[in-house]
């Protein structure tokens, strides 16, 4: 069976190629060298011979990620934001970008900065309203449609296939931040997206010890070549040791993600009717406004991310976070340990996130321990 036919679980477990041809090692080598020698005829041995353009351990991780998403190529960056800002750099001067009004705040903040400087024109749309998405995309004007699904921190689900059609009809490309789906439960490129993005800091690495971002393309084209060039010129590739750790994390992606999904569903169901909880936001619940799309688009669990709207205001939500004993009071997501965060504190007063929202990143612990922890914190 050729590697391209392997199922994603196998691709991840072997990080695509399990055996190092030079040594027979079944974990990949770590090439730390920043420069690579030329051969006898003074020809570079590798396609890049200086680390800013890429290096062998990085390429290994990229090939595995491209195979997982069934894209033609992947590029790893020193952070998720480095990947996002590099992609946005390919939007022509004054070009139009459409994106959701609620999403990962770092991306929204960066888009607003570019708009304020006159670098791009920006339309933010309500991601829960299909006609608002259609209305935000301008035929012949929009260059890039950026979506996130499920999106931070309401976990609303956007229909990728429909949005891809709208983008393409308008002459734009669709890029999808699929960090929360983690290349497990949704495959955006198969649904028509042009580029899929992950903060690999989160589920792909999964152990809260790497900062990394990846873009994966359906097709290698002129825009992709510009992204590759920009990464080298800006100097934003992922470093070899981080790439090596990422490969190590990737090998357990599917078991981690499935356990986190099962735990999160248990928590969501348990707290949905809780007297101290106003609402649970989780795409796996029938009460969630994205549930119908999620049933179609999330084919392997609804992920480990959910939010609790506690009864009361910001102070009540913060108090619950400080009382947790098992779930850790920290930002980020997608690690094996569960984390809780009062999102409004992190995003600041201008954030559209509700005051009483606690964002939970559910890990792979026993669900009963997590439920008991939140029960005692709610008091
Ligand atoms: C963390 C995150 C990012 C940014 O990635 P970094 O690796 O922190 O730079 C972008 N989008 C989503 C959904 C994220 O969770």
């Amino acid at each position: 069976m050729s590697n391209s036919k392997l199922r994603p679980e196998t691709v991840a477990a072997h990080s695509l190629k399990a055996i190092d041809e030079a040594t027979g090692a079944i974990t990949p080598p770590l090439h730390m060298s920043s420069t690579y020698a030329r051969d006898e005829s003074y020809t570079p041995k590798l396609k890049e011979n200086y680390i800013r353009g890429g290096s062998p351990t990085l390429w290994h991780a990229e090939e595995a990620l491209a195979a997982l998403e069934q894209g033609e190529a992947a590029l790893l960056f020193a952070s998720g934001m480095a990947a996002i800002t590099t992609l946005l750099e390919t939007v022509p001067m004054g070009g139009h970008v459409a994106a959701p009004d609620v999403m990962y705040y770092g991306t929204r903040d960066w888009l607003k900065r570019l708009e304020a400087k006159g670098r791009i024109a920006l339309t933010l749309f309500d991601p829960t309203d299909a006609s608002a998405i259609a209305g935000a995309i301008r035929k012949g004007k929009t260059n890039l449609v950026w979506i996130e699904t499920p999106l931070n921190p309401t976990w609303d689900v956007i229909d990728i296939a429909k949005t891809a059609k709208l983008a393409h009809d308008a002459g734009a490309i669709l890029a999808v931040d699929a960090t929360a789906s983690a290349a497990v439960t949704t495959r955006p490129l198969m649904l028509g997206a042009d580029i899929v993005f992950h903060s690999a800091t989160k589920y792909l690495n999964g152990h809260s010890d790497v900062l990394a971002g990846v873009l994966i393309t359906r097709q290698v084209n002129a825009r992709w070549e510009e992204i590759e060039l920009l990464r080298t010129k800006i100097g934003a590739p992922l470093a070899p040791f981080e790439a090596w750790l990422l490969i190590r994390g990737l090998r357990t992606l599917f078991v981690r993600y499935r356990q986190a999904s099962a735990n999160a569903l248990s928590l969501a169901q348990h707290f949905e009717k809780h007297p101290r909880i106003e609402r649970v936001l989780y795409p796996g619940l029938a009460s969630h406004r994205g549930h119908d799309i999620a049933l179609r688009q999330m084919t392997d669990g609804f992920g480990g991310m959910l939010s609790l709207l506690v009864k009361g205001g910001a102070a009540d939500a913060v108090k619950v976070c400080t009382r947790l004993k098992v779930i850790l009071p920290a930002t980020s997501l997608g690690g094996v340990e569960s984390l809780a965060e009062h999102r409004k504190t992190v995003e600041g007063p201008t954030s559209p996130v509700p005051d009483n929202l606690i964002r939970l990143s559910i890990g792979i612990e026993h669900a009963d321990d997590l439920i008991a922890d939140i029960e005692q914190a709610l008091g």
Side-chain angles (χ1 to χ4, degrees):
M1 203 186 254
S2 79
N3 277 349
S4 64
K5 295 262 172 58
L6 294 174
R7 290 171 183 82
E9 291 88 338
T10 314
V11 170
H14 287 216
S15 66
L16 192 58
K17 44 183 178 187
I19 289 195
D20 174 38
E21 276 164 26
T23 63
I26 65 154
T27 61
L30 166 56
H31 293 287
M32 288 295 282
S33 190
S34 60
T35 185
Y36 290 83
R38 291 167 180 261
D39 67 12
E40 314 77 50
S41 63
Y42 212 63
T43 311
K45 286 190 186 220
L46 302 179
K47 61 179 175 178
E48 297 286 343
N49 51 15
Y50 181 55
I51 193 170
R52 186 150 36 75
S55 54
T57 308
L58 181 74
W59 295 329
H60 185 157
E62 288 174 345
E63 283 168 31
L65 289 163
L68 260 186
E69 288 283 17
Q70 293 169 270
E72 276 190 7
L75 286 167
L76 273 162
F77 292 77
S79 71
M81 285 309 296
I84 293 170
T85 53
T86 302
L87 170 63
L88 291 174
E89 196 54 36
T90 64
V91 175
M93 187 67 199
H96 181 247
V97 177
D101 57 6
V102 175
M103 62 169 153
Y104 175 69
Y105 83 118
T107 312
R108 189 181 58 228
D109 185 57
W110 194 258
L111 287 168
K112 284 184 170 173
R113 271 168 204 272
L114 293 179
E115 183 193 28
K117 286 204 293 191
R119 171 67 182 78
I120 62 167
L122 179 65
T123 304
L124 296 179
F125 54 78
D126 174 354
T128 65
D129 177 353
S131 64
I133 301 177
I137 299 170
R138 302 184 201 153
K139 206 172 179 87
K141 292 260 184 337
T142 304
N143 177 263
L144 169 69
V145 180
W146 175 274
I147 60 170
E148 182 179 321
T149 184
L151 60 80
N152 257 280
T154 54
W155 315 111
D156 283 308
V157 187
I158 301 179
D159 190 318
I160 296 171
K162 267 193 195 151
T163 312
K165 181 153 192 334
L166 289 169
H168 296 157
D169 287 350
I173 68 158
L174 174 69
V176 178
D177 181 340
T179 299
S181 329
V184 173
T185 193
T186 302
R187 256 163 246 292
L189 301 183
M190 300 296 100
L191 297 171
D194 300 279
I195 291 178
V196 56
F197 161 81
H198 295 273
S199 167
T201 313
K202 315 294 170 49
Y203 286 105
L204 298 184
N205 179 62
H207 294 74
S208 307
D209 53 11
V210 163
L211 177 67
V214 66
L215 298 174
I216 304 159
T217 190
R218 189 154 50 86
Q219 257 184 330
V220 173
N221 51 25
R223 187 167 197 151
W224 186 254
E225 279 160 8
E226 188 187 358
I227 293 170
E228 188 163 17
L229 179 84
L230 285 170
R231 185 184 70 167
T232 302
K233 296 297 175 195
I234 294 167
L238 188 65
F241 184 50
E242 277 68 19
W244 188 86
L245 282 172
L246 175 59
I247 291 168
R248 184 189 164 112
L250 212 51
R251 296 182 137 200
T252 55
L253 172 65
F254 281 81
V255 287
R256 286 187 284 103
Y257 193 82
R258 285 170 181 164
Q259 182 64 42
S261 283
N263 282 352
L265 182 61
S266 298
L267 263 79
Q269 286 167 343
H270 180 90
F271 288 104
E272 192 178 17
K273 298 267 150 46
H274 195 281
R276 298 281 323 271
I277 299 291
E278 182 185 297
R279 202 139 60 91
V280 177
L281 302 176
Y282 186 65
L285 292 178
S287 61
H288 191 269
R289 58 191 170 192
H291 187 61
D292 288 344
I293 306 170
L295 282 176
R296 269 183 278 130
Q297 194 167 277
M298 302 181 81
T299 54
D300 193 346
F302 301 100
M305 297 305 299
L306 71 150
S307 295
L308 303 178
L309 302 183
V310 299
K311 284 191 181 154
D316 301 280
V318 170
K319 199 187 270 173
V320 173
C321 292
T322 62
R323 283 183 181 162
L324 292 166
K325 295 192 169 77
V326 178
I327 300 174
L328 307 169
T331 194
S332 198
L333 64 96
V336 292
E337 63 290 299
S338 294
L339 305 176
E341 177 170 66
H342 182 244
R343 224 25 220 173
K344 194 67 170 262
T345 301
V346 176
E347 295 192 17
T350 59
S351 160
V353 171
D355 283 354
N356 61 341
L357 183 145
I358 299 172
R359 187 182 84 171
L360 295 173
S361 169
I362 297 305
I364 64 169
E365 305 96 331
H366 199 294
D368 293 351
D369 288 339
L370 304 176
I371 289 171
D373 193 32
I374 298 171
E375 282 285 0
Q376 67 78 27
L378 289 169

